[in-house]
């Protein structure tokens, strides 16, 4: 478990750590969430249209967008409010970079408020493809035994201000790396809960069939999080009041 940092917002969380098996199959990645100084955010000027979501989709949203696996638990929405969230990739081969491009395109096709965009400069989300032996030096919050990790910083108002992603680049195959990249980048957008319910989901919390695309229920969750109806700090009741359940 990651211990809370004694600063403005005392909340640090780690997602479902799994130890890597003996054979080279990626372990369930973990995540930590750390605070950053508060920056004011203006509320929306008009009431957003209520998104339509399935009953199962809303329940899953409550698990992966409001829930966390370990650490201090804040059962509210945490998301980016920037219209463009930049991503810089360091390390990795051409196949890994092609995967990142695909993940970004898939994510942007689902969001109405914040798009991901690659950058060659220091970015909002820093992605490191590296050997596991380098993870601790890249991110002190990393816990050994995990093939992927994301550390996310957010403000008092629960909007995200930065993230660092680690993905194992050796001892696994390109398909596993692509799974890790998709999951970690998506978690870095605020979907930090662990689940054992849908094996086809990118958020599946056990050893998994390698998932390299968003499932239908994943898409529902991403659309809702990055709709105008859901705001940072919204709890389960406020989210429910903001949607139409079909």
């Amino acid at each position: 478990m990651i211990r809370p940092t004694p600063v403005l917002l005392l909340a640090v969380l780690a997602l479902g750590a799994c130890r890597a098996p003996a054979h080279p199959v990626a372990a369930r990645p973990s995540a930590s969430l750390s605070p950053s100084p508060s920056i004011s955010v203006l509320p929306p000027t008009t009431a957003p249209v209520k998104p339509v979501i399935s009953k199962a989709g809303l329940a899953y949203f409550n698990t992966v967008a409001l829930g966390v696996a370990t650490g201090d638990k804040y059962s509210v929405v945490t998301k980016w409010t920037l219209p463009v969230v930049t991503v810089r990739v360091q390390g990795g081969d051409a196949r890994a970079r092609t995967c990142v491009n695909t993940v970004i395109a898939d994510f942007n096709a689902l969001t109405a408020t914040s798009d991901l965009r690659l950058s060659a400069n220091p970015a909002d989300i820093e992605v490191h493809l590296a050997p596991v032996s380098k993870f601790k030096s890249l991110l002190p919050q990393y816990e050994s035994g995990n093939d992927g990790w994301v550390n996310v910083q957010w403000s008092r108002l629960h909007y995200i201000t930065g993230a660092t992603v680690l993905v194992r680049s050796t001892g696994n195959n390109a398909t596993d790396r692509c799974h890790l990249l998709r999951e970690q980048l998506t978690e870095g957008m605020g979907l930090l809960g662990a689940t054992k319910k849908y094996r086809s989901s990118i958020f599946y919390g056990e050893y998994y069939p390698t998932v390299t695309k968003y499932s239908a229920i994943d898409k529902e969750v991403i659309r809702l999080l990055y709709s105008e109806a859901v705001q940072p700090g919204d709890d389960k009741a406020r989210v429910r009041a903001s949607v139409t359940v079909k």
Side-chain angles (χ1 to χ4, degrees), residues 141-189:
Q141 296 92 333
Y142 168 72
E143 288 188 355
S144 62
N146 295 287
D147 291 346
W149 190 274
V150 56
N151 177 268
V152 178
Q153 299 85 43
W154 83 106
S155 75
R156 285 179 180 269
L157 300 179
H158 296 280
Y159 62 89
I160 301 172
T161 59
T164 302
V165 167
L166 305 178
V167 169
R168 180 177 180 172
S169 65
T170 59
N172 56 0
N173 60 45
T175 302
D176 288 337
R177 286 192 293 275
C178 194
H179 169 95
L180 289 164
L181 284 164
R182 181 175 292 269
E183 182 172 12
Q184 300 306 301
L185 273 173
T186 307
E187 288 180 351
M189 295 302 287

Side-chain angles (χ1 to χ4, degrees), residues 221-236:
V221 167
I222 294 168
R223 286 193 188 101
L224 178 55
L225 182 60
Y226 281 96
S227 68
E228 294 181 347
V230 176
Q231 300 301 319
D234 285 355
D235 60 12
K236 186 183 295 186

Side-chain angles (χ1 to χ4, degrees), residues 42-78:
L42 294 176
T45 55
T46 59
V49 176
K50 287 187 175 184
V52 176
I53 191 168
S54 69
K55 183 177 180 180
L58 180 59
Y60 204 48
F61 181 90
N62 291 337
T63 297
V64 300
L66 303 183
V68 296
T70 61
D72 292 332
K73 298 187 177 183
Y74 280 76
S75 295
V76 298
V77 169
T78 303

Side-chain angles (χ1 to χ4, degrees), residues 74-214:
Y74 280 76
S75 295
V76 298
V77 169
T78 303
K79 63 184 283 188
W80 290 88
T81 56
L82 297 173
V84 174
V85 178
T86 55
V87 178
R88 180 170 66 167
V89 180
Q90 301 182 64
D93 56 16
R95 292 182 70 177
R97 290 170 182 272
T98 297
C99 174
V100 171
N101 284 328
T102 300
V103 173
I104 288 174
D106 290 349
F107 186 89
N108 290 351
L110 300 170
T111 176
T113 59
S114 296
D115 279 350
L116 293 167
R117 181 182 299 167
L118 279 176
S119 174
N121 301 314
D124 301 310
I125 300 178
E126 295 284 352
V127 178
H128 299 273
L129 287 120
V132 172
S133 61
K134 301 291 186 183
F135 279 7
K136 198 72 175 179
S137 63
L138 290 168
L139 188 65
Q141 296 92 333
Y142 168 72
E143 288 188 355
S144 62
N146 295 287
D147 291 346
W149 190 274
V150 56
N151 177 268
V152 178
Q153 299 85 43
W154 83 106
S155 75
R156 285 179 180 269
L157 300 179
H158 296 280
Y159 62 89
I160 301 172
T161 59
T164 302
V165 167
L166 305 178
V167 169
R168 180 177 180 172
S169 65
T170 59
N172 56 0
N173 60 45
T175 302
D176 288 337
R177 286 192 293 275
C178 194
H179 169 95
L180 289 164
L181 284 164
R182 181 175 292 269
E183 182 172 12
Q184 300 306 301
L185 273 173
T186 307
E187 288 180 351
M189 295 302 287
L191 293 158
L192 286 158
T195 176
K196 298 179 182 179
K197 189 167 186 179
Y198 300 103
R199 290 180 64 85
S200 63
S201 171
I202 199 70
F203 308 112
Y204 187 65
E206 295 293 326
Y207 294 129
Y208 41 74
T210 304
V211 177
T212 56
K213 62 181 180 179
Y214 295 128

